[in-house]
Amino acid sequence: MSTKVAVVTGGNKGIGFAIVRALCKQYKGDVYLTARDVGRGQAAVESLASEGLKALFHQLDINDLNSISSSAAFFKEKYGGVDVLINNAGIAFKVADTTPFAIQAKVTLETNFFATRDMLTHFLPLIKAGGRVVNVSSFVSCRALSQCSPALQQRFRSEDITEGELVGLMERFVNEAQKGEHKEGGWPDTAYGVSKLGLTVTSRYKPGGF
């Protein structure tokens, strides 16, 4: 029987690190802590080792398509696929951050929605029978939904929303934020919330609402 493998993105700190630690204690297989920064990733693995826990490191930057594709090839060759994928990597600007909203919207959506979607595109074909994919979203997505216009809420809650339509809506938010017109377009004033709303809708495995 081939060795099972679990992969966690953004695993060098915060929630991702806690997920890796828990998997090391409970999962019967190899656990990969991935991070875009090699030094920080290896330091996190060493920290776990000091606790008597074994995690493996693989460099993975979800904002880099080449990094995603090469990582997918690595796990396919070494394990024949992936048993557990936890899409945890993400970004959140602090409340007091003075970065213009237009930039926050672009950067946040690029990572939390579009890059995570790229991960799914490349890794879903590798998920073994009985495998699992977990996308780490946030309760903030529900709050963002409630602050959207009725028309946007209807589309996000609809049973027939397609991936193409969802991508178009996320692109529309970024474009309107660039022009300072997102509020007029029916969007809330939270790039993080919209990014996680997009991820939550992406994660729906069957028709239905929140």
Side-chain angles (χ1 to χ4, degrees):
M1 182 179 293
S2 60
T3 302
K4 290 189 174 182
V5 60
V7 180
V8 183
T9 66
N12 61 291
K13 63 180 181 178
I15 294 174
F17 185 73
I19 291 172
V20 173
R21 176 189 281 126
L23 285 171
C24 286
K25 293 178 179 179
Q26 303 175 38
Y27 187 67
K28 298 186 184 306
D30 289 347
V31 178
Y32 274 82
L33 181 158
T34 75
R36 62 182 178 181
D37 185 283
V38 174
R40 292 176 181 175
Q42 291 177 336
V45 167
E46 292 170 4
S47 176
L48 290 169
S50 70
E51 301 177 27
L53 301 174
K54 181 184 178 182
L56 301 168
F57 175 71
H58 186 82
Q59 193 277 336
L60 172 56
D61 180 355
I62 70 168
N63 289 106
D64 182 347
L65 274 175
N66 289 329
S67 180
I68 291 176
S69 61
S70 64
S71 295
F74 167 80
F75 288 108
K76 182 177 182 179
E77 179 179 354
K78 186 173 179 64
Y79 295 94
V82 172
D83 296 279
V84 177
L85 170 64
I86 300 180
N87 285 314
N88 165 77
I91 184 174
F93 285 85
K94 296 186 182 302
V95 176
D97 197 302
T98 57
T99 302
F101 187 78
I103 296 176
Q104 291 194 27
K106 185 174 187 297
V107 172
T108 303
L109 269 290
E110 280 180 350
T111 299
N112 296 359
F113 178 76
F114 292 105
T116 301
R117 177 172 170 265
D118 288 335
M119 278 291 299
L120 291 169
T121 298
H122 285 78
F123 274 79
L124 277 179
L126 302 183
I127 302 301
K128 299 177 185 178
R132 295 290 185 270
V133 176
V134 177
N135 296 324
V136 179
S137 188
S138 169
F139 74 92
V140 177
S141 67
C142 296
R143 182 189 302 166
L145 176 66
S146 70
Q147 295 172 347
C148 286
S149 67
L152 285 173
Q153 289 190 42
Q154 190 276 328
R155 290 318 302 154
F156 285 127
R157 287 193 169 105
S158 67
E159 296 184 358
D160 61 355
I161 189 169
T162 64
E163 180 182 9
E165 181 183 2
L166 178 60
V167 169
L169 286 170
M170 295 294 102
E171 291 174 340
R172 176 182 142 193
F173 169 72
V174 173
N175 291 334
E176 292 181 352
Q178 300 292 297
K179 301 174 184 176
E181 300 173 352
H182 60 286
K183 290 183 180 180
E184 291 85 342
W187 300 97
D189 209 20
T190 165
Y192 181 78
V194 172
S195 74
K196 290 299 186 178
L197 171 57
L199 183 58
T200 297
V201 176
T202 297
S203 306
R204 280 165 41 183
Y205 61 92
K206 63 181 180 180
F210 289 96

